[in-house]
Amino acid sequence: MTPTAATDTQQQLDTVFNALQSGQALLPDSPQNVMEVVGILKSYGIVLQAYAENLIYIADHQFLVLFPFFKYFNGEFSWGKLWRHWFHDRINFEYAEYCLRVMLWHGGGGLDAYLDSEEFVGLAKKAIAAKTADNPMMRLLNYLFPEFLPEVVRQWAYYSGLGQFWTVMYPIFLTLSDEYDAGRITTISQVVAHIRNGLVADASKPITYSVEIDGQTYDILPASAGLTFLMDTAVPYVEAIFLRGTPFFGTVSYNAQAQQISPEQSEFGYGALFADPLPTGAAGIPPTLVMQDMRHYLPDYLLKFYQQKNRGEDDLRVKICETFQKSMFCVTTAAITGLTPYPWDTTNSTEKEANGEFYQAWLQRLQTSQLITVQNT
């Protein structure tokens, strides 16, 4: 980066910092940005509802089914649905599984810590014993590889945890659209406030998970673990999906000698806020799936906006990704301002200074993301 470019970047970061200090957002306020963000979050809310319902179905009804061939059917199999599945005329539930596996791999938060606890191991073994009681092959597998099935149970816990997280999030996005349609949402600050209020309202919502085996209930994530929506699912989700992510095959070399991927997971910057929309829209890259899903539910006003831009619908997934990144900076703003050491709108100078240090740390983390790009689009 040239000295001039570095100076321009720092000036823009200072502008964003001042915006945060004054209660504004990481994304600049404009009627176009409001329209794009609300429209894409409406589409995303519809898709998230489908994702959440499927994850919870798998967690509750496919527990320790190692080859769940029909897990995407939510218990409602038909040949017509299978045909549509084969020809991809459906919601791409694989993206939801990609997200839960990224969360499982990166870890963080109380859910990750609990899944490494002795209490969880004990509960998992009880459920495994009940599930394999009438299955000699599964019992043999568990005997030969005693760590395998507990690890599978950890993954199933993330099916439920992520499903519960999205169950809270999708109504926030859908009601945001309703408020916009009614003329009550007109600024980016109002968008952020709506999302933040939803996060805070459910911050302490318990995250629990149990399965029923032969008529008996087995706890996997008991209420006594004290897991909650905000700190144990929302914050780890932001860290894993918005910030870290995973390197996309075909865009970087996985060869250790090439050293294109940091060996430290904490240094990963491949998440939704960092990804280049162009390779993100390429075939074989997981976020393409959610962009493909969202294109089916775009509000008419947003689709018309895309059609009027260069290339029309020819690069629709890329346009969706660019707008989606804008919306995720709004969600990130809601999370940041909801997690500040003191009330985000405090007028106390000492508290405001502490919040400022908190914001600066976040901006340092985000300076190599698409943050500067969205300031100018």
Side-chain angles (χ1 to χ4, degrees), residues 80-133:
K81 290 181 72 172
L82 181 61
W83 182 263
R84 291 192 295 273
H85 180 92
W86 282 340
F87 285 87
H88 297 280
D89 181 20
R90 61 181 176 88
I91 294 288
N92 290 287
F93 296 114
E94 293 90 340
Y95 181 73
E97 292 183 306
Y98 163 79
C99 288
L100 78 86
R101 289 184 180 120
V102 173
M103 287 184 70
L104 175 61
W105 188 56
H106 283 299
L111 175 57
D112 177 59
Y114 182 74
L115 294 180
D116 286 331
S117 69
E118 290 298 323
E119 180 181 358
F120 167 78
V121 172
L123 293 173
K125 286 182 176 179
K126 289 180 182 179
I128 290 168
K131 187 69 175 179
T132 62

Side-chain angles (χ1 to χ4, degrees), residues 27-285:
L27 180 70
D29 187 25
S30 72
Q32 177 184 312
N33 279 345
V34 174
M35 178 273 295
E36 286 191 69
V37 167
V38 172
I40 206 67
L41 287 180
K42 178 179 182 179
S43 174
Y44 188 50
I46 295 170
V47 173
L48 276 194
Q49 180 175 6
Y51 287 170
E53 290 173 352
N54 184 246
L55 289 178
I56 290 175
Y57 166 77
I58 293 172
D60 292 345
H61 300 284
Q62 302 287 299
F63 181 71
L64 286 185
V65 178
L66 300 186
F67 301 102
F69 295 110
F70 302 113
K71 61 184 177 181
Y72 298 144
F73 291 81
N74 290 349
E76 300 173 353
F77 174 82
S78 71
W79 289 107
K81 290 181 72 172
L82 181 61
W83 182 263
R84 291 192 295 273
H85 180 92
W86 282 340
F87 285 87
H88 297 280
D89 181 20
R90 61 181 176 88
I91 294 288
N92 290 287
F93 296 114
E94 293 90 340
Y95 181 73
E97 292 183 306
Y98 163 79
C99 288
L100 78 86
R101 289 184 180 120
V102 173
M103 287 184 70
L104 175 61
W105 188 56
H106 283 299
L111 175 57
D112 177 59
Y114 182 74
L115 294 180
D116 286 331
S117 69
E118 290 298 323
E119 180 181 358
F120 167 78
V121 172
L123 293 173
K125 286 182 176 179
K126 289 180 182 179
I128 290 168
K131 187 69 175 179
T132 62
D134 299 323
N135 190 326
M137 291 299 295
M138 287 279 283
R139 290 205 307 274
L140 178 61
L141 176 67
N142 192 43
Y143 175 77
L144 294 175
F145 306 100
E147 297 299 321
F148 175 68
L149 291 183
E151 189 64 21
V152 174
V153 177
R154 288 186 177 91
Q155 180 171 304
W156 251 249
Y158 269 95
Y159 271 102
S160 181
L162 180 56
Q164 292 177 68
F165 167 67
W166 278 340
T167 297
V168 172
M169 294 306 300
Y170 80 75
I172 296 175
F173 299 148
L174 296 181
T175 55
L176 172 69
S177 176
D178 293 340
E179 292 292 291
Y180 176 78
D181 292 342
R184 291 188 287 269
I185 294 285
T186 59
T187 68
I188 289 296
S189 293
Q190 290 174 321
V191 170
V192 170
H194 180 91
I195 296 171
R196 181 177 56 244
N197 291 341
L199 292 172
V200 172
D202 285 299
S204 300
K205 182 180 176 66
I207 299 297
T208 63
Y209 173 43
S210 60
V211 293
E212 186 172 311
I213 303 172
D214 295 331
Q216 185 171 343
T217 300
Y218 293 84
D219 283 336
I220 305 298
L221 301 176
S224 61
L227 302 177
T228 58
F229 162 78
L230 184 63
M231 296 308 298
D232 300 315
T233 59
V235 173
Y237 181 86
V238 169
E239 179 70 28
I241 306 302
F242 286 15
L243 302 175
R244 295 187 184 183
T246 57
F248 302 136
F249 288 106
T251 63
V252 294
S253 173
Y254 274 66
N255 187 314
Q257 283 70 37
Q259 297 183 344
Q260 291 187 8
I261 299 173
S262 172
E264 298 295 330
Q265 289 175 242
S266 61
E267 296 178 4
F268 274 30
Y270 304 99
L273 302 183
F274 290 78
D276 185 335
L278 294 177
T280 299
I285 294 176

Side-chain angles (χ1 to χ4, degrees), residues 9 16 20 23-24 45 48 74 89 103 126 141 145 159 177 203 243 271 274 299 306 310 315 326 329 341 362 371 375:
T9 297
V16 175
L20 286 174
Q24 298 179 52
L48 276 194
N74 290 349
D89 181 20
M103 287 184 70
K126 289 180 182 179
L141 176 67
F145 306 100
Y159 271 102
S177 176
L243 302 175
F274 290 78
Y306 290 149
N310 291 341
D315 61 345
K326 289 184 177 183
F329 277 108
W362 270 98
L371 177 62
Q375 305 303 307

Side-chain angles (χ1 to χ4, degrees), residues 248-327:
F248 302 136
F249 288 106
T251 63
V252 294
S253 173
Y254 274 66
N255 187 314
Q257 283 70 37
Q259 297 183 344
Q260 291 187 8
I261 299 173
S262 172
E264 298 295 330
Q265 289 175 242
S266 61
E267 296 178 4
F268 274 30
Y270 304 99
L273 302 183
F274 290 78
D276 185 335
L278 294 177
T280 299
I285 294 176
T288 299
L289 298 174
V290 69
M291 306 308 155
Q292 177 69 16
D293 289 340
M294 285 193 286
R295 71 179 296 174
H296 297 300
Y297 303 103
L298 297 175
D300 291 340
Y301 60 81
L302 185 55
L303 180 59
K304 183 178 179 180
F305 171 74
Y306 290 149
Q307 290 169 338
Q308 293 172 343
K309 295 184 71 176
N310 291 341
R311 298 193 183 93
E313 294 188 41
D314 290 346
D315 61 345
L316 184 58
R317 281 190 294 269
V318 174
K319 291 185 173 79
I320 289 172
C321 182
E322 291 171 338
T323 298
F324 184 67
Q325 284 182 318
K326 289 184 177 183
S327 73

